[in-house]
Amino acid sequence: LAFRYFARHNPQVVILEVGLGGRLDATNVITPLVSIITNVSREHVDYLGEDIAGIAREKAGIIKEGVPVVTAAEDPVVFQVIEEKCRQQQAPLCRVRFREGRDIGSGKNDPGGDQAFCGDRRPVEEGQYFHFYGPGMELSELFLPLLGDYQVVNASTALAALEILNDRGLPLGESHIRRGLKGVSWPGRMEVVQSFPRVVLDGAHNPAAVENLARAVREHFSYRRLILVLGILKDKDASLMLSFLAPLAAETLVTLPPIFRGTDPEEIASKARHYTSGPVLAVPEVKEAVEEALNRASTEDLVLVCGSLYVIAEARKCLV
């Protein structure tokens, strides 16, 4: 999103976003100024491969000869694949890492090539502040109006790439960076759409994203009870997703994503009962599931709608 602001002020820059994977993605026909590989998880296995190393190799297919790469990959196996591909392509590599505490800049001279660090995170109700330390740029007290520590990593990955673009003759001043981050809006990502009860929409739709969501909910919100509304697609690891979410819920309402790939709510509800002692109800229509959750919630409760972007899109129609 910081890149979008950058592109608006630099008409020679075009942003191409990779979809399912890297190597076979339609956007891979161009040679970019910088390539970005965010954190890699086990996703789209029908297209990318069953194991994390195979998925990483597909993602690393966007790496071009001599073109700098920025990655926030945490898994050692994933990073090793990316690092090896960069070595083969003689592509400079910058790794973005998250560190808690106030000494996050102390690691910038660690061995292993260029590194960028983010941390000293200070969550507030409307977002969070953080510090960024890149190979040649340090920025403190940056404000990001998105919730969750993973969003700080995402923003810092964009900043590391902007630093590379700056070195390549496309400068962006600190004031523009701060304004771009401050102006970020991401509907359907930890989006608070109602108060009393508070209703949060999040498009987390795979185990890694759901794990981040569960952590962010515990960190950012206080509530008496959590009422969960979710729908999951057939190609997702529903059991693993539920293992992160269902234990948080006092009540769970399972619905059907409005697409042919949606999983039968009764099937998901049966799995959810293994992870929660609270009531679990299957409500096929998203609108009805949201309305039922609101009827069951008190003003002190939190209603969390997640599991599929299709569910979020449908829920927004009746809430926003």
Side-chain angles (χ1 to χ4, degrees):
L1 291 168
F3 273 123
R4 296 190 188 283
Y5 183 90
F6 177 67
R8 285 201 302 271
H9 291 78
N10 292 271
Q12 69 270 45
V13 174
V14 176
I15 301 168
L16 294 179
E17 300 179 46
V18 175
L20 288 181
R23 184 176 62 91
L24 299 178
D25 196 272
T27 62
N28 201 27
V29 299
I30 63 108
T31 299
L33 296 175
V34 59
S35 300
I36 301 175
I37 302 175
T38 55
N39 209 4
V40 176
S41 62
R42 189 175 178 273
E43 173 76 320
H44 300 302
V45 295
D46 292 344
Y47 304 96
L48 303 181
E50 284 287 342
D51 63 281
I52 194 69
I55 294 171
R57 281 190 288 271
E58 289 295 320
K59 297 287 187 179
I62 70 169
I63 298 172
K64 303 292 195 303
E65 184 176 356
V67 175
V69 176
V70 176
T71 184
E74 297 175 355
D75 190 303
V77 173
V78 172
F79 181 73
Q80 185 177 10
V81 170
I82 295 171
E83 188 177 39
E84 177 58 29
K85 183 68 173 181
C86 286
R87 188 178 298 113
Q88 294 171 3
Q89 297 286 61
Q90 296 184 323
L93 175 62
C94 178
R95 187 179 190 182
V96 178
R97 310 181 77 174
F98 178 80
R99 285 190 175 181
E100 290 285 8
R102 304 192 66 88
D103 62 342
I104 58 172
S106 63
K108 61 186 178 180
N109 294 319
D110 290 351
D114 284 339
Q115 300 190 65
F117 293 90
C118 54
D120 197 15
R121 194 170 61 92
R122 179 163 57 86
V124 293
E125 184 174 347
E126 64 274 15
Q128 52 195 325
Y129 291 87
F130 69 100
H131 290 202
F132 171 80
Y133 293 82
M137 178 174 67
E138 297 182 8
L139 298 170
S140 62
E141 285 292 291
L142 293 166
F143 178 69
L144 182 68
L146 298 176
L147 306 180
D149 54 8
Y150 59 98
Q151 297 291 11
V152 166
V153 176
N154 289 339
S156 297
T157 303
L159 292 177
L162 288 175
E163 188 171 349
I164 291 171
L165 291 176
N166 181 70
D167 294 339
R168 293 196 156 206
L170 295 171
L172 193 67
E174 180 177 337
S175 63
H176 294 93
I177 290 173
R178 291 184 180 275
R179 196 182 314 159
L181 290 174
K182 187 177 180 179
V184 167
S185 173
W186 199 342
R189 288 294 186 187
M190 291 288 285
E191 181 186 14
V192 179
V193 296
Q194 182 177 311
S195 303
F196 310 113
R198 180 175 279 145
V199 179
V200 176
L201 308 181
D202 193 275
H205 56 278
N206 60 50
V210 163
E211 183 179 14
N212 284 330
L213 171 60
R215 186 171 65 250
V217 166
R218 289 192 296 266
E219 177 185 56
H220 284 281
F221 300 114
S222 297
Y223 50 86
R224 188 176 70 89
R225 299 185 314 144
L226 188 148
I227 299 176
L228 178 65
V229 179
L230 84 162
I232 300 175
L233 299 185
K234 293 176 181 177
D235 61 343
K236 309 302 178 185
D237 189 336
S239 293
L240 187 53
M241 292 171 66
L242 289 164
S243 72
F244 295 121
L245 284 174
L248 302 179
E251 299 186 44
T252 302
L253 297 151
V254 183
T255 191
L256 179 66
I259 186 176
F260 68 92
R261 293 190 290 128
T263 307
D264 183 352
E266 292 289 355
E267 179 182 335
I268 300 297
S270 177
K271 293 180 179 180
R273 294 185 182 100
H274 293 289
Y275 299 99
T276 179
S277 58
V280 179
L281 182 66
V283 184
E285 295 292 330
V286 174
K287 184 176 184 293
E288 293 178 7
V290 171
E291 290 174 348
E292 181 64 25
L294 293 175
N295 289 335
R296 291 168 176 256
S298 74
T299 56
E300 299 174 341
D301 293 340
L302 172 67
V303 176
L304 175 63
V305 185
C306 63
S308 164
L309 290 168
Y310 298 99
V311 170
I312 296 305
E314 197 67 21
R316 290 188 97 252
K317 292 178 182 178
C318 56
L319 289 169
V320 179

